[in-house]
Amino acid sequence: MKISDLKKEDYNPYYGTYIAYLKEEDLKKALKDDLVFFRNFMSGMDADKLTYAYEKGKWSVAEVLLHVIDTERIFQYRALCIARNDKTSFPGFDQDEYVAHADSNARSIADILEEFTAVRNATITLFDSFNEEVLLKRGEASNSPLSVAAAGFIITGHVRHHLKILKERYM
């Protein structure tokens, strides 16, 4: 499925920022490409950069990276549930609370990379199992519509968004 196949009723407009990072890309290819992008990003990082925050009150690099992983897990779960016809309306989540309780700054580059790789490989496997019909299914998250495909595009766009911010403001 390509990004151009999404409809406005597939997701909350808030996520348009993330989805815009994908242009005309195929969802399954984008998920795989991001694994390479993330590995390349992490391989060039100095260990002392992980706890750096560019401003007081901003998340550290490690906190941003764990936020990306947590968010991927949440959208992966939402996609699975919608794909399986779960009619639950999924609540939002407080990203600041997740970050506050992740102990991100105690993690190593290798540890974060291993976790992202495991989570992304699970995401790839999950989305590889979805056919076009399943990708079009819609449910509700944060009181807004969400299709299975949109959840996948949000996952990959969210990673690209935060890697861009890290490159611009932290590196």
Side-chain angles (χ1 to χ4, degrees):
M1 173 173 270
K2 296 220 180 277
I3 196 76
S4 57
D5 296 325
L6 281 183
K7 296 177 174 58
K8 290 193 185 270
E9 56 269 16
D10 283 333
Y11 58 93
N12 183 316
Y14 170 83
Y15 297 112
T17 302
Y18 304 134
I19 290 170
Y21 279 93
L22 282 99
K23 311 290 180 228
E24 287 298 315
E25 289 184 65
D26 175 78
L27 173 59
K28 294 176 183 181
K29 181 181 181 317
L31 288 167
K32 292 171 185 164
D33 288 348
D34 279 357
L35 185 52
V36 174
F37 298 151
F38 194 91
R39 283 181 178 154
N40 289 341
F41 177 81
M42 294 297 290
S43 69
M45 186 182 302
D46 293 327
D48 62 337
K49 274 289 199 189
L50 275 180
T51 58
Y52 170 74
Y54 69 92
E55 188 176 290
K56 186 172 174 53
K58 296 294 183 182
W59 293 343
S60 69
V61 171
E63 289 170 329
V64 171
L65 296 172
L66 267 290
H67 160 72
V68 165
I69 293 168
D70 286 349
T71 302
E72 181 152 341
R73 281 189 166 115
I74 290 165
F75 276 87
Q76 182 189 88
Y77 175 72
R78 290 172 176 181
L80 171 66
C81 292
I82 294 165
R84 303 296 193 256
N85 289 323
D86 186 335
K87 301 302 181 196
T88 302
S89 178
F90 301 99
F93 67 100
D94 185 338
Q95 64 185 11
D96 292 316
E97 283 297 314
Y98 275 63
V99 168
H101 298 281
D103 200 21
S104 305
N105 290 326
R107 306 282 293 273
S108 69
I109 291 172
D111 186 43
I112 294 170
L113 182 56
E114 180 181 2
E115 185 173 352
F116 179 83
T117 300
V119 171
R120 179 48 61 96
N121 281 331
T123 301
I124 290 166
T125 301
L126 178 66
F127 278 86
D128 279 348
S129 76
F130 298 151
N131 62 30
E132 293 295 315
E133 182 181 326
V134 171
L135 289 169
L136 296 173
K137 287 184 178 184
R138 285 193 197 112
E140 186 176 292
S142 302
N143 300 313
S144 295
L146 181 68
S147 72
V148 173
F153 284 119
I154 291 165
I155 287 169
T156 193
H158 184 252
V159 169
R160 292 176 188 200
H161 169 76
H162 282 291
L163 290 182
K164 180 178 183 274
I165 288 173
L166 288 171
K167 287 175 185 174
E168 290 174 355
R169 299 181 189 170
Y170 289 79
M171 302 297 152

